[in-house]
Amino acid sequence: MKAVSIIALTAIFAAPAYADCVAPTGNVTVPDGSKATLDEMLAAKKAVNEYNAAVEAFNSCLNLEQDAAIAARGRNITEEERKAIDKQYAERSNTEVNRLQAVADELNTQIRAYKTAHPSK
């Protein structure tokens, strides 16, 4: 019964949640640092910084949505309902933060490759 009610809660809150906060696309191309120009590396760094800002804005939106979802349930919200809402929003946030981290890690790898290929710069 608990599993059914958690699934039902997730379904109830998922529809409005996904309507407002749109996850950033994260379409950042990180060039091969061993072959890239300085301008290409700087452009990639700028794109990652912009992606980071978009993820931060997305997470701020999620926080507002989460607060609204909890408030909509009123004073009668159960601990189980609150936990289900918290979990849903944490998963969405974590997904985007993990994607951003993967792109940032790739950029850092390529920066090291760039520095190895261009030791004087």
Side-chain angles (χ1 to χ4, degrees):
M1 181 66 180
K2 280 187 178 183
V4 172
S5 61
I6 289 174
I7 292 170
L9 284 173
T10 302
I12 290 169
F13 293 112
Y18 288 96
D20 295 329
C21 296
V22 178
T25 61
N27 291 335
V28 176
T29 301
V30 177
D32 179 344
S34 65
K35 299 174 184 174
T37 66
L38 178 59
D39 287 341
E40 290 171 327
M41 295 304 295
L42 291 173
K45 182 178 186 271
K46 181 181 178 191
V48 170
N49 288 339
E50 289 170 354
Y51 181 32
N52 182 63
V55 170
E56 288 176 1
F58 175 70
N59 283 330
S60 293
C61 180
L62 287 180
N63 288 336
L64 293 173
E65 256 189 31
Q66 180 178 0
D67 291 346
I70 290 169
R73 296 294 299 152
R75 288 189 284 220
N76 296 330
I77 188 170
T78 66
E79 189 62 27
E80 186 177 278
E81 290 170 328
R82 181 182 294 275
K83 284 180 181 179
I85 293 169
D86 290 347
K87 181 181 178 190
Q88 173 191 355
Y89 284 94
E91 287 173 354
R92 290 184 66 203
S93 175
N94 290 342
T95 296
E96 295 311 313
V97 169
N98 291 339
R99 287 180 183 158
L100 171 62
Q101 186 63 54
V103 171
D105 290 346
E106 179 61 20
L107 176 64
N108 288 331
T109 297
Q110 295 309 320
I111 288 172
R112 287 190 292 279
Y114 178 85
K115 287 181 178 182
T116 299
H118 305 89
S120 63
K121 294 186 181 186

